[in-house]
Amino acid sequence: MAHAAPRNRGMIEQGRTTDVFDARAHRTARIVLPVLVALVYGFWAAANRRYGGPITGWNLLFGFLTALVFAVVLITLLTVAPKLHRGFHALAWAAFAGIAVGFLFSLSNGSIYRSVALGVGVMIGTLLLLFYRYYTKEDAEGHRLT
């Protein structure tokens, strides 16, 4: 049976596969995908804020500004976080996830205490999950284990 992407013997021994896309496609995706995720987040925030009412110009502005801030923080985190030690790397992503979820919940007219509790819960869960992942996949210097 033939593989979808041919692999040479060196790649098989190292456990890696070939890249289907070139470096330019990866660079483009590193910007386009966070922007698309940010647009979805901004739309979600704007929808939560209007409580099912009519769409207004201020609502659209709020959604786009939320998307802009989310995209800038996400792209910055994608750039800076891999350079951090594994504990701080996990903490940075956990804080981002907790703040993002807590902010969305706060826009849905919920209690501020429930918003904070949900954000902290998401942050703790994300921190535990990512710290375990980075701890088992990297050495102490942050080099990927094979």
Side-chain angles (χ1 to χ4, degrees), residues 8-50:
N8 65 27
R9 186 162 224 25
M11 296 184 104
I12 292 171
E13 290 168 359
Q14 295 175 0
R16 294 184 297 153
T17 59
T18 58
D19 262 345
V20 177
F21 301 109
D22 62 348
R24 193 178 108 207
H26 284 279
R27 282 192 309 272
T28 304
R30 198 150 177 95
I31 299 296
V32 170
L33 291 177
V35 169
L36 290 176
V37 170
L39 286 173
V40 169
Y41 185 85
F43 173 76
W44 193 349
N48 281 357
R49 189 164 186 229
R50 67 185 171 93

Side-chain angles (χ1 to χ4, degrees), residues 7 40 51 62 117 126:
R7 303 186 312 178
V40 169
Y51 309 115
F62 177 78
T126 306

Side-chain angles (χ1 to χ4, degrees), residues 26-110:
H26 284 279
R27 282 192 309 272
T28 304
R30 198 150 177 95
I31 299 296
V32 170
L33 291 177
V35 169
L36 290 176
V37 170
L39 286 173
V40 169
Y41 185 85
F43 173 76
W44 193 349
N48 281 357
R49 189 164 186 229
R50 67 185 171 93
Y51 309 115
I55 298 173
T56 63
W58 290 112
N59 188 253
L60 288 175
L61 179 65
F62 177 78
F64 281 117
L65 288 178
T66 302
L68 178 67
V69 170
F70 187 89
V72 167
V73 173
L74 182 56
I75 291 170
T76 303
L77 195 55
L78 285 169
T79 305
V80 173
K83 298 173 184 160
L84 299 173
H85 184 269
R86 60 186 172 206
F88 292 118
H89 188 180
L91 184 62
W93 279 109
F96 177 71
I99 291 168
V101 169
F103 177 70
L104 279 181
F105 187 79
S106 73
L107 292 175
S108 64
N109 211 10

